[in-house]
Amino acid sequence: MATLAPTQQKTYFDFRKAVAENRLKGLWQTMSGYHWLYFGAVLTLMFSSLAKTASLFLLRYFADLVSGNAEAVEGNLGKTFVLIGLAFVGFAALEGGFAFLSGRMAAETAEGITRRMRNFLFDHIQRLSFSYHSKTPTGDLIERVTSDVDALRRFFSEQAIGVGRIVLLFFINWFAILSLNAKLGWVSVISIPPILAVSLWFFKRVTKAYEKYQEQEAALSTTLQENLTGVRVVKAFARQDYEKGKFEKENWGKFLKGKILLFMHSLFWPLSDIVLGLQMLGGFVFAALMVINNEITVGTYLAYVGLVVWLIWPIRNLGRLIVQTSTGMVSYGRLVEIMKQEREDLFGGSVTAQKNIIGEVTFEDVSFQYSDGQTDVLKNISFTVKPGQSVALIGSTGSGKTSLVNLLPRFHEYTGGRILLDGVELKDYPRAMLRQHIGIVEQEPFLFSRSIRENIAYGVGRQVTDEEVESAARAASIHEVIIGFPDGYKTLVGEKGVTLSGGQKQRTTIARTILKNPRILILDDSTSSVDTETEAEIRQALTNLMQNRTTFIIAHRIQSVMNADLIVVLDKGEIIQMGKHADLVQDENGMYRKIYDIQTRVDDELEMELSRVGSGE
Ligand code: UTP
Ligand code: MG
């Protein structure tokens, strides 16, 4: 008995814990494990700023010394100059060194957090339910995992650390100015409260505009992604112009929303720069007057000029930062939306992995409705399949065949009645366990852009030998095709390798399921895209495969279903006929008989046609 998979699971930091209602609080929790590194970045930044301020105080001393307002060290002017020179170099080195360290630590924090987050999101997204995926555009998800995570990375590497830098620079330099002269200290911060107020107001506006911009970008990438995925359809229907128009429209929308953002920026920055420029100029004039009135020395004036530049710089950048921060916040919010989604519970359920699955399946008055649907797509479904028996589902398109079999691995939950597997309700089985024992050949075969061998061995979850892979491929009658490729089983499928035909793809997925060796087998229209000859071959392979397994076959051809132990005819989600082939064909008015008649007639005509061509008529 194979064990369930959790041993293979790698655990990432669970970002769902960091989903606080308050975005700032959530961001703080998101940094979990990196707080010290971030603190280190701020601390080194503080040392760097202190070195800068110290060098300005040195400048003040130097100017006062030259203008005769200060004493030389030990009365020796030459020695003092040398010392001052050395100290300048020393402070510059400290300033640069610490700034470098701080940048490194900030980058480390940002890269670390976002790498962890990307891993988490990837894992999280693939654990979300089928219904979430069927209603969420892939382009939107890609946009979030790439662009929004990147915005968050910038937030941590630049903006979060930037806030620390700005607060530090501001207070260090402000206290330094206050220590030079209290009056100067107060004069130089007059314009700050209004600037702050305007920045905050602006922040709110930009956040909204950026949210819209990001949504538009997601719409654009969804359009692009759909166009690329459906490129065959686009070409086949010659709809390039229509698609082009659609893309242009979304792109235009992005352009407009980007323009609004730019406009807001172009209004704010010049305004704040003018106010701050006036503030600085006013301060210089005020300080100059103080020098003239002998209230301060020339050295103090020079130091003030140097310090005030570093006081205004943070304020100027605070506005910018507040605005940029809004982009980080918006992206964080968009990521939280994904994180909040419920995961599919893979391992919950009272049945333990030790339970042997025999394969008796009972439907008891089952009904089902898609979570986003309006009506029941399955109604009053009741039948039993004995272990090892096969049941065939037949019915017009949209009658609910795929929906019915998708209930078995719990891709969706039935909404009424019960489904029992070996007498135990399906809801009591952990999903992972069901999926391990159920093999599905999907209606639309999907292969990864990997080697054929990898694709066949995909579902096994253990090392397999070449012989095993080959015998599965033989059973699915695809072996001959594969060895016909130059690289055989190592041939890559998809973009970088060979393109398989629909039937080849289908047989590869059959080989994949054969190798998995499941107790319960589901074949959803598995012979739909192959010719009659291959179909017969596959049917033979499937007959071997079906032995001793409970099998659900969905097929359109009577020949594929006539040997089943039970045939269920579905129409609009309801069972309209049920029984064995021999009985069902007897019912002259039944749907089964109608399908049978049409198909035999078509087959006969085809045969006659072929024999006529064959005999050269
Ligand atoms: P099915 O997909 O079960 O039909 O959809 P089917 O019998 O297998 O059809 P073919 O032969 O493959 O073509 C049954 C109904 O469920 C709805 C469909 O619109 C259809 O009416 N449906 C299907 C949903 O509402 N949501 C889905 O995700 C899938
Ligand atoms: Mg179907």
Side-chain angles (χ1 to χ4, degrees), residues 134 368 370 372-373 377-378 395-404 412 443 524-525 554 556 570:
S134 52
F368 170 62
Y370 282 99
D372 52 353
V377 294
L378 293 173
S396 58
T397 171
S399 55
K401 306 181 292 293
T402 302
S403 306
L404 189 151
H412 301 282
Q443 189 165 13
D524 194 349
D525 240 351
I554 298 176
H556 286 112
L570 280 177

Side-chain angles (χ1 to χ4, degrees), residues 281-349:
L281 201 68
F284 290 163
V285 173
F286 188 80
L289 290 176
M290 286 176 86
V291 177
I292 293 168
N293 291 336
N294 276 329
E295 281 181 68
I296 53 171
T297 63
V298 175
T300 304
Y301 180 80
L302 282 178
Y304 170 73
V305 169
L307 287 169
V308 114
V309 171
W310 290 99
L311 183 76
I312 296 296
W313 183 87
I315 297 166
R316 187 167 179 268
N317 276 275
L318 186 65
R320 175 155 304 168
L321 210 66
I322 286 177
V323 170
Q324 284 171 349
T325 303
S326 70
T327 63
M329 295 289 210
V330 169
S331 289
Y332 173 73
R334 284 164 53 82
L335 292 171
V336 165
E337 279 174 24
I338 302 183
M339 291 172 191
K340 271 193 192 155
Q341 293 298 327
E342 260 325 300
R343 287 183 180 189
E344 198 178 38
D345 177 7
L346 281 178
F347 303 105

Side-chain angles (χ1 to χ4, degrees), residues 55-73:
S55 72
L56 289 170
F57 271 78
L58 199 63
L59 176 72
R60 174 199 191 198
Y61 173 64
F62 176 71
D64 282 350
L65 190 68
V66 177
S67 59
N69 285 323
E71 297 286 316
V73 179

Side-chain angles (χ1 to χ4, degrees), residues 584-598:
L584 290 175
V585 279
Q586 299 300 324
D587 183 357
E588 303 256 341
N589 299 319
M591 164 96 101
Y592 189 80
R593 176 64 186 258
K594 270 187 211 151
I595 303 173
Y596 177 78
D597 284 345
I598 294 170

Side-chain angles (χ1 to χ4, degrees), residues 391-503:
V391 54
L393 302 172
I394 193 163
S396 58
T397 171
S399 55
K401 306 181 292 293
T402 302
S403 306
L404 189 151
V405 293
N406 277 347
L407 295 179
L408 293 172
R410 290 181 67 193
F411 290 161
H412 301 282
E413 300 293 324
Y414 41 96
T415 38
R418 301 199 301 167
I419 302 178
L420 305 173
L421 173 59
D422 295 341
V424 180
E425 202 176 339
L426 224 48
K427 290 182 175 154
D428 294 333
Y429 288 90
R431 288 186 177 82
M433 183 179 175
L434 286 174
R435 290 170 195 179
Q436 203 162 41
H437 292 287
I438 298 176
I440 305 188
V441 179
E442 300 265 357
Q443 189 165 13
E444 286 146 26
F446 179 84
L447 297 179
F448 294 95
S449 304
R450 304 173 192 170
S451 73
I452 294 185
R453 188 190 193 283
E454 276 175 280
N455 268 295
I456 295 179
Y458 187 75
V460 190
R462 65 179 164 88
Q463 291 293 326
V464 284
T465 63
D466 289 344
E467 287 71 40
E468 284 177 280
V469 174
E470 269 188 45
S471 83
R474 267 183 227 280
S477 64
I478 186 76
H479 175 72
E480 299 299 324
V481 177
I482 297 172
I483 54 171
F485 295 132
D487 293 330
Y489 279 85
K490 294 208 185 79
T491 307
L492 289 177
V493 180
E495 279 152 30
K496 287 194 204 131
V498 297
T499 310
L500 297 182
S501 74

